[in-house]
Amino acid sequence: MAFPTDLEIANAVKPKKITKIAKKLGIDKNDLELYGKGKAKIPLSYIDPEKIKKNKLVLVTAITPTPAGEGKTTVSIGLVDGLNKIGKQATAVIREPSLGPVFGIKGGAAGGGYSQVIPMEDINLHFTGDFNAIEKANNLLSAAIDNNIQSRTKSIGIDPSTVTWKRVMDMNDRSLREVIVGVGDKNGVVRQDGFNITPASEIMAILCLSENFSDLKERLGKIYVADKFDGTPVFAKDLKIVGAMAILLKEAIKPNLVQTLEGNPALVHGGPFASIAQGTNTIIATKMGLSLSEYVVTEAGFGADLGAEKFLNIKCVAGGLSPDAAVVVATVRALRHHGGAHKNDLQKPDLEKLKAGFPNLEKHIENVQKFNITPVVAINYFPNDSDEEIEFIINECEKKGIKAVVSKAFAEGGKGAEDLARAVAEVADANETNFTPLYNHSAGIQEKIETIAKEIYGADKVNFLAKAKRVMKDLEKKGFDKLPVCMVKTPKSLSDDDNKLGRPSGFSVTVRDFEIASGAGFIIPMLGDAMRMPGLPSTPAAEGMDIDDNGVITGLS
Amino acid sequence: MAFPTDLEIANAVKPKKITKIAKKLGIDKNDLELYGKGKAKIPLSYIDPEKIKKNKLVLVTAITPTPAGEGKTTVSIGLVDGLNKIGKQATAVIREPSLGPVFGIKGGAAGGGYSQVIPMEDINLHFTGDFNAIEKANNLLSAAIDNNIQSRTKSIGIDPSTVTWKRVMDMNDRSLREVIVGVGDKNGVVRQDGFNITPASEIMAILCLSENFSDLKERLGKIYVADKFDGTPVFAKDLKIVGAMAILLKEAIKPNLVQTLEGNPALVHGGPFASIAQGTNTIIATKMGLSLSEYVVTEAGFGADLGAEKFLNIKCVAGGLSPDAAVVVATVRALRHHGGAHKNDLQKPDLEKLKAGFPNLEKHIENVQKFNITPVVAINYFPNDSDEEIEFIINECEKKGIKAVVSKAFAEGGKGAEDLARAVAEVADANETNFTPLYNHSAGIQEKIETIAKEIYGADKVNFLAKAKRVMKDLEKKGFDKLPVCMVKTPKSLSDDDNKLGRPSGFSVTVRDFEIASGAGFIIPMLGDAMRMPGLPSTPAAEGMDIDDNGVITGLS
């Protein structure tokens, strides 16, 4: 019999009442705002600064992933279930899926196998409406900009050719990357615009980095949108639209409580896409988790060169957070890939290819160590992994003083992650990590980019195209140079070139352009071809989906 | 002391638990899906065909409104509270507000004064996510169309210049009316597209006209989107995307339960904009209301020439519904306006202007009677209405055998609508109405349009511009001519010219173009300048809005 699909596994479990999950965390059911069956929002009043200091934060990151992903969410959820199995009180704090990948190529982001969060279908679809709220706040600002530009009486003098603020839509839709708006009679002023995918909205980053509602409003007001004809910058607050944007986000700021298949708590809040966005969950959810349980397991997207770097240099600094341990997820399959195995041979044991690919894992381990955090390697087990391959990884890690542990959370749930849970708890409880960010936010823009590229990616050199140089100067002139950088880069390689597998060396990376998120508080250097609006593949996942008259869904993963 | 704002009144009421409201309707709390505090979705299993036949349906419509609206929702809610006060079991079934007007000029749509549905703020913002679900289903189809056009291997041969399917966004944003998509390298094929506001999406109309989930899917598949290069039509089902679209709508299809300020049940489901869309609530919500209570008070947007005409000719025919009474809402202020009173004098008693404007009300009364339904006139009372003016209306109606009743629901809630409730119940209970649609769906397109224009608007003649003639022929050729018509026309006049007030005569109307909604099942003739994507005014309502750190909102109405 074939292994059941994620959806079949999820549907076979009878979920606990969400009020019961909340009760375990000490949340009164009258404080909970329910959203359909099995989802609820928690008011911010449960955040407790004393508990945040005391409790343990575990960051889950990964090696450079293959397109299917290496199961970081699966391991995170398995680890939470594993920690609870060995008697530790743990909560998962993960990100909300975007509809783009759900209907595109990657699938949702609610874990897999016996390590999932549920209700999986709702989480992967509109969930509690957070993405929609972000989208509307983003696009209300766009409408206000264009409305002001065409107004004869209220115009504040925005130069239409300088508008950097883009519209967003939570969809993989390449045709919207670059558009001309305002076409036609009395339809405003014609100008070039573009749509990013909603997780790449600065509003998403602001939601992820805000400490509370007043911080959120403050950041919304500081969003840079364009220049006036006289060259002075225009911010969202100049359009008198910040109150309305904040109203749209009044519920989205509250973390969402769901549960793992084993009935342990999970907070799902904030957006994905660590390649093209900040891509970590919200500071509020992380702090909520730490306020309510002894261990918080959180994840950052893609490899440690992307999600973890941003989580540590941007989010932890902004929120005063300090991880007590990190998990680097690896799969034997992906290491074979990095060692040069052909796509068709990835499922076959191949010790030589694995050995050749191992330096990729090595580099991600070193990357975590550069922040003074002790990593544990989680080998996300697949049935075709050979004993020799796994032993090789364990032994090589041991030589570096790092523990590598097999996780069978996909096939076995928390029981399959007990060893991993023990290893992680040991590191976290030892209180030996001493988190240090990689760079000082006040360093120059170029210096910050070079630090990340050389230290984390392993590059020799950073090239700046002419446009990038020009924009960088302008950002300096506008006083944005003291902000951290949020790199846009392919997740498929440590470099900015998809084809450079393993642990590349002797390469340079190229910054072609910048975007600015002055409200969220970071500069966005754009490397290589990475796009902030994905496209659909020639056969989108959406084509295989259906729902019958009883509401039973098939094809969603 | 000034009369409190809608928001202040709404916030001063302690709402009943929504589970208690549901219990009154006979709904088990375990069947209810809660959405935050005070909102819930009801499963379709509560629809009961026997009860639908037995219970009474009351349609609320209006005279030609001034821009502020004449309080149709306020009267509808007051009437429900009034009916409950006189011992009848009644439920309001109204439409969901769109964010466009909320942030634009008109304000939300949750009633006013002491006749509101609550939670007013949530209803006016994202509510339970239905509009977002519709928007995503609409835009997924757009992404699939553009993805197919640019595909080298999977193209089905769509001619990009023939795509009629537009994207949507729930925002007043004139810059998106006409856009060029696919600009830039590898971003698909450049073509002209446009955004309608979400309530004008065919998906909204499909949701409103579907009887159940399988009907919904059937209709989604039949959406016409473009032609192939060989001239044959392309439908949504040809893009293999119908299952995914249906999945996005799995919650949106369920009606939303909230309550009036007096704790009576209200179902809020389906979209507004009877001027540019179908604009009535959903058949499912209407039938749910009729399954759960003796009287259902529902409303259709703008004057009887728009919402009521569409409600009766499209929705009632599609759903096999037959109203037992109709209420025509009028205000003294608006009748003064129709009689030629200057904008600055609208608040002043002026019997002569009122008399001059009365024929507008007369025409809307006649329009309702053309469907063999007995109307009751509700005079939505304002403090500056003079006794003479009100008496004139009552007497003139009496001459026609029509009851006109003052409603003070705005200032007094249900108590102020008891007289109206008695008058309406009397008509509904008399079982004398015998609903007959105005035209046969199988008549020709031109004939159907002419019937509505002459019978309902009072026009002498319908002109068809060259483009409209061409498209009409094409619709006939494609076999869409047996569908009913859903007119796009200004709500400000019985004609297609905003400036023709009162009861104009001796005029013609002009059809400039058509859209087609083959899934929803209607043809959309477009008259005059009416747009399917509104713009923001020079000072949007959004500018006056704020929310403080405690979540207290100001400026929302």
Side-chain angles (χ1 to χ4, degrees):
Chain A
M1 200 186 82
F3 198 79
T5 67
D6 289 355
L7 192 52
E8 286 164 351
I9 293 172
N11 285 340
V13 169
K14 190 175 149 49
K16 290 184 191 164
K17 279 201 168 180
I18 198 69
T19 47
K20 206 173 155 186
I21 306 291
K23 199 178 167 189
K24 270 212 276 196
L25 293 173
I27 300 169
D28 188 289
K29 74 174 176 187
N30 292 316
D31 288 336
L32 219 54
E33 293 174 20
L34 302 177
Y35 277 73
K37 308 271 184 201
K39 298 165 281 175
K41 281 191 172 279
I42 306 174
L44 303 195
S45 54
Y46 278 92
I47 291 177
D48 178 343
E50 287 310 306
K51 296 236 175 92
I52 294 170
K53 267 185 240 160
K54 209 185 72 189
N55 292 327
K56 303 294 180 187
L57 178 61
V58 178
L59 170 66
V60 178
T61 177
I63 62 168
T64 302
T66 56
E70 301 324 307
K72 212 163 39 253
T73 309
T74 303
V75 170
S76 299
I77 295 162
L79 177 55
V80 165
D81 287 336
L83 283 164
N84 279 288
K85 274 219 182 299
I86 64 168
K88 312 279 188 183
Q89 192 214 6
T91 296
V93 181
I94 61 176
R95 298 162 299 154
E96 304 178 47
S98 157
L99 284 177
V102 167
F103 292 121
I105 195 162
K106 194 167 170 283
Y114 288 90
S115 290
Q116 296 185 55
V117 282
I118 49 171
M120 178 272 215
E121 299 171 11
D122 291 358
I123 294 169
N124 276 326
L125 294 168
H126 313 293
F127 201 25
T128 57
D130 296 345
F131 277 36
N132 175 44
I134 288 161
E135 196 169 297
K136 289 298 175 300
N138 185 107
N139 295 342
L140 177 61
L141 180 52
S142 292
I145 292 167
D146 277 315
N147 190 52
N148 191 275
I149 287 174
Q150 62 86 50
S151 172
R152 289 183 194 175
T153 54
K154 308 268 174 162
S155 162
I156 58 172
I158 296 171
D159 176 353
S161 72
T162 65
V163 179
T164 53
W165 186 255
K166 288 183 176 182
R167 289 173 166 89
V168 297
M169 193 180 289
D170 196 31
M171 191 71 65
N172 281 5
D173 193 346
R174 73 173 66 71
S175 287
L176 292 180
R177 279 178 195 148
E178 292 182 45
V179 300
I180 311 291
V181 299
V183 177
D185 185 31
K186 294 193 177 165
N187 294 341
V189 173
V190 175
R191 67 176 184 86
Q192 178 149 2
D193 191 19
F195 283 73
N196 286 335
I197 194 165
T198 302
S201 168
E202 182 176 352
I203 310 285
M204 173 67 85
I206 287 176
L207 193 84
C208 289
L209 294 171
S210 293
E211 294 275 346
N212 52 45
F213 209 76
S214 63
D215 186 15
L216 178 96
K217 278 175 65 178
E218 176 81 21
R219 288 170 184 269
L220 291 175
K222 290 198 295 194
I223 294 171
Y224 165 79
V225 297
D227 289 341
K228 293 186 189 175
F229 285 109
D230 68 9
T232 55
V234 179
F235 297 94
K237 63 174 177 289
D238 300 327
L239 290 154
K240 301 180 194 160
I241 205 80
V242 173
M245 291 167 73
I247 287 174
L248 285 166
L249 298 167
K250 77 183 177 66
E251 300 302 317
I253 198 171
K254 301 173 193 166
N256 306 297
L257 177 66
V258 294
Q259 62 188 295
T260 70
L261 285 176
E262 299 187 4
N264 293 309
L267 298 176
V268 180
H269 199 219
F273 283 108
S275 51
I276 57 169
Q278 176 265 162
T280 73
N281 54 68
T282 67
I283 285 180
I284 286 174
T286 304
K287 291 193 169 177
M288 183 67 79
L290 288 166
S291 302
L292 299 172
S293 63
E294 292 166 11
Y295 296 81
V296 160
V297 177
T298 188
E299 59 161 334
F302 298 113
D305 53 326
L306 283 168
E309 185 272 308
K310 294 173 184 181
F311 183 91
L312 297 165
N313 281 323
I314 301 174
K315 173 175 165 169
C316 286
V317 175
L321 292 165
S322 177
D324 300 282
V327 175
V328 180
V329 177
T331 61
V332 169
R333 182 188 64 177
L335 291 176
R336 289 175 200 143
H337 163 75
H338 284 292
H342 188 272
K343 189 169 69 160
N344 299 335
D345 296 332
L346 283 184
Q347 311 301 331
K348 286 186 217 151
D350 188 335
L351 186 59
E352 291 316 306
K353 290 284 192 292
L354 177 95
K355 282 184 183 174
F358 182 79
N360 183 274
L361 171 57
E362 202 168 35
K363 175 62 177 151
H364 288 287
I365 291 171
E366 291 169 20
N367 283 347
V368 169
Q369 290 172 322
K370 282 179 197 257
F371 293 89
N372 281 326
I373 300 171
T374 306
V376 173
V377 171
I379 305 167
N380 183 21
Y381 181 79
F382 280 71
N384 51 35
D385 296 350
S386 71
D387 291 349
E388 298 76 39
E389 289 169 310
I390 287 174
E391 267 165 37
F392 176 82
I393 298 171
I394 293 172
N395 291 338
E396 289 300 308
C397 288
E398 203 176 322
K399 287 183 201 162
K400 300 169 183 297
I402 301 296
K403 220 168 215 173
V405 186
V406 169
S407 164
K408 294 190 173 179
F410 183 89
E412 299 174 11
K415 194 171 147 289
E418 284 186 21
D419 289 348
L420 178 64
R422 270 183 286 268
V424 169
E426 198 180 314
V427 171
D429 294 346
N431 286 323
E432 282 171 356
T433 58
N434 180 20
F435 165 63
T436 329
L438 191 72
Y439 61 82
N440 196 316
H441 286 190
S442 64
I445 299 175
Q446 186 167 341
E447 186 185 335
K448 286 180 280 206
I449 296 170
E450 282 173 350
T451 301
I452 294 169
K454 291 176 181 172
E455 296 280 326
I456 301 291
Y457 306 163
D460 287 346
K461 187 168 176 292
V462 182
N463 303 316
F464 292 84
L465 297 190
K467 185 176 180 197
K469 279 186 195 160
R470 184 162 51 79
V471 180
M472 190 157 59
K473 272 211 181 112
D474 188 54
L475 293 174
E476 281 162 7
K477 208 182 77 187
K478 292 201 168 83
F480 295 139
D481 53 323
K482 303 304 176 210
L483 298 174
V485 293
C486 181
M487 311 288 272
V488 170
K489 184 183 80 70
T490 178
K492 294 178 184 168
S493 169
L494 277 157
S495 75
D496 63 356
D497 172 359
D498 287 3
N499 300 314
K500 291 196 168 72
L501 299 182
R503 181 179 186 161
S505 62
F507 65 93
S508 61
V509 294
T510 302
V511 179
R512 62 176 161 87
D513 200 354
F514 286 90
E515 292 193 13
I516 173 71
S518 56
F522 52 71
I523 299 158
I524 307 167
M526 295 169 76
L527 275 60
D529 287 335
M531 301 274 191
R532 305 193 77 208
M533 169 54 97
L536 287 172
S538 57
T539 303
E543 286 189 10
M545 296 182 186
D546 204 3
I547 175 167
D548 70 14
D549 294 350
N550 300 317
V552 177
I553 291 176
T554 45
L556 192 68
S557 68
Chain B
M1 203 184 83
F3 197 79
T5 66
D6 289 355
L7 193 51
E8 285 164 352
I9 293 172
N11 286 340
V13 169
K14 190 174 152 49
K16 291 184 189 162
K17 281 201 167 178
I18 199 70
T19 46
K20 208 174 153 186
I21 305 290
K23 200 177 166 192
K24 271 213 277 195
L25 294 173
I27 301 168
D28 189 289
K29 72 174 178 190
N30 292 316
D31 288 337
L32 219 53
E33 294 175 19
L34 302 177
Y35 277 74
K37 307 273 185 201
K39 296 164 282 173
K41 281 190 173 280
I42 306 174
L44 303 197
S45 54
Y46 278 92
I47 291 177
D48 178 343
E50 287 309 307
K51 295 235 175 94
I52 294 169
K53 266 184 243 164
K54 209 187 70 189
N55 291 327
K56 303 293 179 186
L57 178 60
V58 178
L59 170 65
V60 179
T61 179
I63 60 167
T64 302
T66 56
E70 302 323 308
K72 213 163 36 253
T73 309
T74 303
V75 170
S76 299
I77 295 162
L79 177 55
V80 165
D81 287 337
L83 284 164
N84 279 287
K85 274 218 183 297
I86 64 167
K88 312 280 188 182
Q89 191 213 5
T91 295
V93 180
I94 60 176
R95 297 162 300 156
E96 304 178 46
S98 157
L99 284 177
V102 167
F103 292 121
I105 195 165
K106 192 166 171 283
Y114 287 89
S115 289
Q116 295 185 55
V117 283
I118 50 173
M120 178 271 216
E121 300 172 9
D122 292 359
I123 294 169
N124 275 326
L125 295 166
H126 314 293
F127 200 25
T128 58
D130 296 344
F131 277 37
N132 175 45
I134 288 161
E135 194 169 300
K136 289 300 175 299
N138 185 107
N139 295 341
L140 177 62
L141 179 53
S142 292
I145 292 167
D146 277 315
N147 189 52
N148 191 275
I149 288 174
Q150 62 86 51
S151 173
R152 286 182 196 175
T153 54
K154 307 267 173 162
S155 163
I156 57 171
I158 296 171
D159 175 353
S161 73
T162 65
V163 179
T164 53
W165 186 254
K166 290 183 174 181
R167 290 174 166 88
V168 296
M169 192 180 290
D170 196 31
M171 190 72 65
N172 280 6
D173 193 345
R174 73 172 65 71
S175 287
L176 291 179
R177 279 179 195 148
E178 292 182 44
V179 300
I180 312 291
V181 300
V183 178
D185 186 32
K186 294 193 177 166
N187 294 341
V189 173
V190 175
R191 67 173 182 88
Q192 179 150 0
D193 191 18
F195 283 72
N196 288 334
I197 193 163
T198 302
S201 168
E202 183 175 351
I203 311 286
M204 173 66 85
I206 287 175
L207 193 85
C208 288
L209 293 171
S210 293
E211 295 275 347
N212 52 46
F213 209 77
S214 64
D215 186 15
L216 179 97
K217 279 175 65 178
E218 175 80 22
R219 288 170 183 269
L220 291 174
K222 290 197 295 193
I223 294 171
Y224 165 78
V225 298
D227 288 341
K228 294 187 188 175
F229 285 109
D230 66 10
T232 56
V234 179
F235 297 94
K237 61 175 177 292
D238 299 327
L239 290 154
K240 300 180 196 160
I241 206 79
V242 173
M245 290 167 74
I247 287 173
L248 284 166
L249 297 167
K250 76 181 176 70
E251 299 302 318
I253 199 172
K254 301 172 192 163
N256 306 296
L257 177 66
V258 293
Q259 63 188 294
T260 69
L261 285 176
E262 299 187 5
N264 293 309
L267 297 176
V268 181
H269 199 219
F273 283 108
S275 51
I276 58 171
Q278 177 262 163
T280 74
N281 55 69
T282 67
I283 285 180
I284 286 174
T286 303
K287 291 194 169 177
M288 183 67 79
L290 287 168
S291 302
L292 301 172
S293 62
E294 292 167 8
Y295 295 82
V296 160
V297 177
T298 188
E299 59 160 335
F302 298 114
D305 52 326
L306 284 168
E309 185 272 308
K310 294 172 183 180
F311 184 90
L312 296 166
N313 281 323
I314 302 174
K315 175 174 164 171
C316 286
V317 175
L321 292 165
S322 176
D324 300 282
V327 175
V328 180
V329 177
T331 60
V332 169
R333 183 187 66 179
L335 291 177
R336 288 176 201 143
H337 163 75
H338 284 292
H342 188 273
K343 188 168 72 163
N344 299 336
D345 296 332
L346 283 183
Q347 311 303 328
K348 285 185 218 151
D350 188 336
L351 185 60
E352 291 315 306
K353 291 282 194 291
L354 176 96
K355 282 183 183 175
F358 182 79
N360 183 273
L361 171 57
E362 201 168 33
K363 176 62 177 151
H364 289 287
I365 290 172
E366 290 170 20
N367 283 347
V368 170
Q369 288 173 323
K370 281 177 197 258
F371 293 89
N372 280 327
I373 299 171
T374 306
V376 172
V377 171
I379 305 167
N380 183 20
Y381 182 78
F382 280 71
N384 52 35
D385 296 351
S386 71
D387 291 349
E388 295 77 39
E389 289 169 311
I390 288 175
E391 267 165 38
F392 177 83
I393 299 171
I394 293 174
N395 290 338
E396 288 300 308
C397 288
E398 204 176 321
K399 286 182 202 165
K400 298 167 185 299
I402 302 295
K403 220 169 216 172
V405 186
V406 170
S407 164
K408 295 193 172 176
F410 183 89
E412 299 175 11
K415 194 171 148 290
E418 285 186 22
D419 289 348
L420 178 64
R422 269 184 287 266
V424 169
E426 197 179 314
V427 171
D429 294 348
N431 287 321
E432 284 171 355
T433 59
N434 180 21
F435 166 62
T436 327
L438 190 71
Y439 60 81
N440 196 316
H441 286 189
S442 64
I445 299 175
Q446 185 167 341
E447 185 186 336
K448 285 179 280 205
I449 296 170
E450 283 173 348
T451 302
I452 293 170
K454 291 177 183 175
E455 297 280 325
I456 302 291
Y457 306 163
D460 287 346
K461 186 168 178 289
V462 182
N463 303 316
F464 292 84
L465 297 189
K467 184 173 181 202
K469 280 186 195 160
R470 183 162 49 79
V471 179
M472 191 159 57
K473 273 213 181 107
D474 189 54
L475 293 175
E476 282 163 6
K477 207 182 79 188
K478 292 201 167 86
F480 296 138
D481 52 324
K482 302 304 175 212
L483 298 174
V485 294
C486 180
M487 311 288 273
V488 170
K489 183 183 82 68
T490 178
K492 293 178 185 167
S493 168
L494 277 157
S495 74
D496 63 355
D497 173 359
D498 287 4
N499 299 313
K500 290 197 169 70
L501 300 181
R503 181 178 185 162
S505 63
F507 65 94
S508 61
V509 295
T510 303
V511 178
R512 63 176 161 85
D513 200 355
F514 286 90
E515 292 192 12
I516 172 72
S518 56
F522 52 72
I523 300 157
I524 307 169
M526 296 169 75
L527 274 60
D529 287 335
M531 302 272 193
R532 304 193 79 208
M533 169 55 97
L536 286 173
S538 57
T539 303
E543 287 190 10
M545 296 181 187
D546 204 4
I547 176 169
D548 71 14
D549 294 351
N550 300 317
V552 177
I553 291 176
T554 44
L556 192 68
S557 67

